[in-house]
Amino acid sequence: PVMSEFRLRYAPALRPLLSLLGMGPGLSGVDVEGDALRVRMGWAFAARLPLTSIRHAEPTVHPIWGGWGVHGWDGRWLVNGSSHGIVRLDLDPDGKAVVCGVRVRVRTLWLGLEDPDGLLARLHRART
C-alpha cells in the first residue's frame, strides 16, 4: 500500500483488532490529492471530498456517541482507531462516501489522526 500523507491514529489495544478486521493502518489513511481530500479505512469507508466543500475544519474531542472504526448516520460520520487526535470537518455541499459498500452523504466528518494539526495546516494551505 502507498504511505498516506496523514495516518489514522490507532490505540495500541485496538490496532490488532482493526487490522484483523481489514481496517488497520496499512489499508487506511487521509490524503490531499489535487482538489480533493481522500479518506479511507479499509473496506469500511472510502470518500473523495472536494476541498471546496470543506467549510470548516477544527480540532475537537471524540464525539460522545462515537466508538472506534466507522460509525455514523444521517450525514455525520466518525472514522477513527483512537479517541485522540480528532479533527472535525463540516461540508457544504454534502460530500459522498461509501460505507460498507453503501453510498452515503457526508455533512460532518470526524477523523482520528496521528497528526491532526498537520492536516489542518495542509487544508488551510490548499484552500488559500
Side-chain angles (χ1 to χ4, degrees):
V2 174
M3 179 68 81
S4 288
E5 188 171 352
F6 299 97
R7 296 169 59 88
L8 294 181
R9 183 184 299 234
Y10 290 84
L14 291 173
R15 182 185 298 257
L17 175 62
L18 290 172
S19 294
L20 184 67
L21 293 174
M23 297 185 294
L27 301 171
S28 304
V30 177
D31 297 289
V32 178
E33 297 179 338
D35 63 352
L37 180 72
R38 189 168 65 99
V39 180
R40 65 197 177 290
M41 190 171 202
W43 55 269
F45 188 93
R48 188 175 185 283
L49 307 168
L51 295 178
T52 55
S53 70
I54 300 173
R55 297 294 177 214
H56 185 74
E58 67 179 356
T60 190
V61 297
H62 189 255
I64 193 73
W65 53 266
W68 304 281
V70 175
H71 300 275
W73 189 254
D74 195 30
R76 299 163 45 107
W77 292 94
L78 170 65
V79 178
N80 68 329
S82 168
S83 299
H84 303 287
I86 305 292
V87 168
R88 177 183 170 151
L89 306 176
D90 294 318
L91 291 87
D92 185 20
D94 292 353
K96 302 275 189 253
V98 176
V99 176
C100 301
V102 177
R103 281 184 66 88
V104 299
R105 67 186 176 92
V106 180
R107 181 178 63 245
T108 302
L109 179 62
W110 289 268
L111 299 170
L113 301 168
E114 287 184 2
D115 183 12
D117 294 336
L119 176 65
L120 292 170
R122 179 69 179 85
L123 290 174
H124 179 74
R125 284 195 310 274
R127 294 185 303 169
T128 56

